[in-house]
Amino acid sequence: MNPALRAAATGMMAQQTRTEVISNNLANVNTPGFKRSRAHFEDLLYQSIQGQQVLGDPNAETAPAIQVGRGTRLAGILRMHEQGTVEQTGRNLDVMIEGNGFFQLDDGKGNTTYTRDGSFQISDKGLLITSDGWALQPPIRIPTDASNITISVNGNVAVTRGKDIQATEIGKIDLVAFANPSGLQSLGRNMYGSTAASGEPVVGAPGDDGMGTLQQGSLEGSNVEIVQEMVEMIIAMRAYEINSKAIKNADEMGQMANNLTR
Amino acid sequence: MPDPVRLNGMTSAASALQMMERRQQVLANNLANVSTRGFKAETPFARMMGNAMAVTDTTLDTTAGTLTETHNPLDLAVAGDGFFVTQTPGGERFTRDGSFQLDSERRLVDSRGNQVLGEDGPIVLRNGKIEVESDGSVKVDGRLVSRLRLERVADSAKLEHEGGTQFVPDATRQAIAAGERNVRQGFVEESNVNSMSAMTAMIDVLHRYGAAQKTLSTLDSVRAIATTEIGKPI
């Protein structure tokens, strides 16, 4: 196969992947705690068509090696962990993390997963759970006679029980931070799993160094910016188009070559 | 001096076809990398090979790509001359692709996981606000951690390309003085491929390829006349 065709095909595939990433970002423009991704490309290995060589006889001149590139490849998809927009909801079980931390969740099989989506609910057993039903770790149990739940910036959860006037503290929400949050594995449903690339989770209290603080009554919106994604999409489409032109050109050249013999 | 290779029109036309094909390959590679950060396009040119035969050679187009603001503190771009230095399994490499990240041990690495080198080796960044100043000083919460190594070579157009937007430094490499550096934090350098000029170059390739092909066919017809018509009984 003509290497020009193949190089242009890798370019088209790259733009296709880029569009897929953009589409996923746009689809999650209203997902709380969603972090946008961007595709990252690198050029493929270069083929040395001809090594360095000495030209001419009287005054020997060395010509550098001739290298021809063979296209592009996906180097990785980077998740951008910048803070999303603040959405005031006024709901007392909506908790936003302002900073780099993550909530810890129990997946029911003893594994810990991580999320930034703080739209909690109370389960039938009184536990704080996410909208998908995963329990917050360490568990926070809300007594049945509780009213007026308050969550402080440092993660202290307090309720007013029965006819009490004073609030009683019933637990504390812990956060974890990662050295490299972009290395976390996306598990879907707004959850992440730790990997070797993300580093070990460091547990701390909200307000500790690098954890961030909690804000009750707000949710972290998605950090996708529509205009930016639209611009990216237009660029990707044009790049796709021009790579298809490169294929057409190479194809026409092939046809001409085939016409050499009549 | 040896006698130059005797050429007939056929081989010249054939080498012209080959030259144009290779030129198209170079253009296709440039276009495939139109969204590869830190990519430097290659400019094809024809080189006379001692005699009349021409081949396509390439030189690195070192013009800067557009800097795009990302607000990501680990995205760095070199404005002007110079390259970041990374430690790869094959030795030290140059790169202009500054979309860096932290690995599990909080070392600054590129997208392939190669460590980005500072003046005293790999750069480890602890938790805090990361600031990179224009002279390449890396600070966490205002405290100097390291300084990025920035280097240049005498003629960057001759640098050898390696995949992954890496270049192999040659013997003329030298560090850039602090006053001449201009590192921009929160920016990435886009590919410097100009799709407009690549498009016109492709059309040009197509037409020249057509011309060379016509030349070859014409020469062939001339020979056909020579072999079939001459010596025909009248």
Side-chain angles (χ1 to χ4, degrees), chain B residues 40 42 50 72 82-83 98 100 110 113 130 147 155 185-186 190:
Chain B
K40 294 288 166 219
E42 291 190 280
N72 181 351
F83 295 88
F100 298 136
D110 69 7
I130 297 163
R147 251 176 62 170
D155 184 4
Q185 188 182 20
E190 301 289 344

Side-chain angles (χ1 to χ4, degrees), chain A residues 14 17-18 21 37-43 72-80 232, chain B residues 35-39 75 95-101 110-112 164-165 188-190:
Chain A
T17 312
R18 190 175 176 192
V21 173
S37 298
R38 73 177 189 209
H40 186 85
F41 302 103
E42 61 182 30
D43 45 357
T72 185
R73 71 179 269 268
L74 183 69
I77 294 179
L78 269 148
R79 203 171 329 98
M80 314 300 288
E232 284 275 314
Chain B
S35 54
T36 304
R37 298 207 157 94
F39 179 78
D75 280 343
T95 187
R96 299 265 301 183
D97 173 13
S99 40
F100 298 136
Q101 40 187 314
D110 69 7
S111 54
R112 301 183 136 200
T165 51
V188 287
E189 184 178 353
E190 301 289 344

Side-chain angles (χ1 to χ4, degrees), chain B residues 15-33:
Chain B
S15 78
L17 287 179
Q18 248 173 27
M19 182 182 88
M20 287 302 153
E21 269 169 25
R22 195 168 293 164
R23 184 170 282 221
Q24 172 65 19
Q25 290 170 18
V26 172
L27 293 172
N29 181 54
N30 285 346
L31 286 175
N33 286 294

Side-chain angles (χ1 to χ4, degrees), chain B residues 156-203:
Chain B
S156 45
K158 281 187 186 153
L159 275 177
E160 194 188 329
H161 246 299
E162 212 178 62
T165 51
Q166 298 174 135
F167 301 96
V168 185
D170 61 26
T172 63
R173 60 187 289 186
Q174 55 168 18
I176 299 180
E180 294 173 51
R181 297 164 163 220
N182 194 0
V183 179
R184 307 284 296 272
Q185 188 182 20
F187 284 86
V188 287
E189 184 178 353
E190 301 289 344
S191 164
N192 74 343
V193 175
N194 181 337
S195 41
M196 275 305 130
S197 59
M199 229 13 226
T200 44
M202 273 196 332
I203 295 167

Side-chain angles (χ1 to χ4, degrees), chain A residues 12-28:
Chain A
M12 288 181 81
M13 285 189 293
Q15 299 308 329
Q16 173 99 42
T17 312
R18 190 175 176 192
T19 312
E20 283 166 22
V21 173
I22 297 167
S23 307
N24 184 49
N25 287 346
L26 283 173
N28 286 295

Side-chain angles (χ1 to χ4, degrees), chain A residues 2-241:
Chain A
N2 184 341
L5 282 177
R6 204 184 326 216
T10 64
M12 288 181 81
M13 285 189 293
Q15 299 308 329
Q16 173 99 42
T17 312
R18 190 175 176 192
T19 312
E20 283 166 22
V21 173
I22 297 167
S23 307
N24 184 49
N25 287 346
L26 283 173
N28 286 295
V29 74
N30 278 326
T31 308
F34 179 79
K35 300 293 172 202
R36 74 191 167 91
S37 298
R38 73 177 189 209
H40 186 85
F41 302 103
E42 61 182 30
D43 45 357
L44 287 175
L45 280 174
Y46 282 68
Q47 183 182 357
S48 283
I49 294 210
Q50 186 175 289
Q52 291 192 350
Q53 57 176 220
V54 179
L55 301 175
D57 240 9
N59 310 308
E61 177 203 351
T62 321
I66 300 177
Q67 290 186 301
V68 178
R70 291 295 178 235
T72 185
R73 71 179 269 268
L74 183 69
I77 294 179
L78 269 148
R79 203 171 329 98
M80 314 300 288
H81 274 270
E82 71 233 336
Q83 185 86 30
T85 50
V86 184
E87 285 169 21
Q88 294 277 352
T89 61
R91 191 173 157 265
N92 61 4
L93 289 177
D94 284 346
V95 189
M96 185 183 101
I97 304 172
E98 213 172 347
N100 298 323
F102 291 84
F103 295 113
Q104 303 171 78
L105 303 176
D106 181 6
D107 75 344
K109 298 182 197 99
N111 303 317
T112 308
T113 59
Y114 308 94
T115 188
R116 281 186 64 91
D117 174 11
S119 50
F120 295 112
Q121 301 174 359
I122 300 172
S123 75
D124 54 345
K125 296 191 180 94
L127 287 173
L128 270 193
I129 55 169
T130 64
S131 41
D132 274 313
W134 310 82
L136 187 68
Q137 288 298 316
I140 306 276
R141 199 175 292 277
I142 310 284
T144 42
D145 58 350
S147 60
N148 196 15
I149 302 166
T150 56
I151 299 166
S152 76
V153 286
N154 296 322
N156 294 318
V157 185
V159 294
T160 317
R161 302 192 66 163
K163 294 193 177 78
D164 289 1
I165 298 163
Q166 286 284 324
T168 33
E169 199 168 299
I170 54 160
K172 196 165 186 338
I173 297 176
D174 276 344
L175 294 179
V176 293
F178 293 93
N180 174 26
S182 296
L184 289 169
Q185 187 192 358
S186 284
L187 301 172
R189 302 178 176 211
N190 293 345
M191 289 190 298
Y192 302 104
S194 66
T195 64
S198 67
E200 286 297 308
V202 183
V203 183
D208 284 2
D209 199 20
M211 292 292 171
T213 54
L214 299 185
Q215 200 178 320
Q216 192 183 15
S218 306
L219 276 182
E220 184 186 12
S222 157
N223 69 352
V224 177
E225 281 169 43
I226 295 179
V227 176
Q228 197 183 343
E229 299 296 327
M230 291 304 278
V231 169
E232 284 275 314
M233 201 149 80
I234 295 168
I235 297 172
M237 211 193 91
R238 287 292 169 217
Y240 190 81
E241 201 175 346

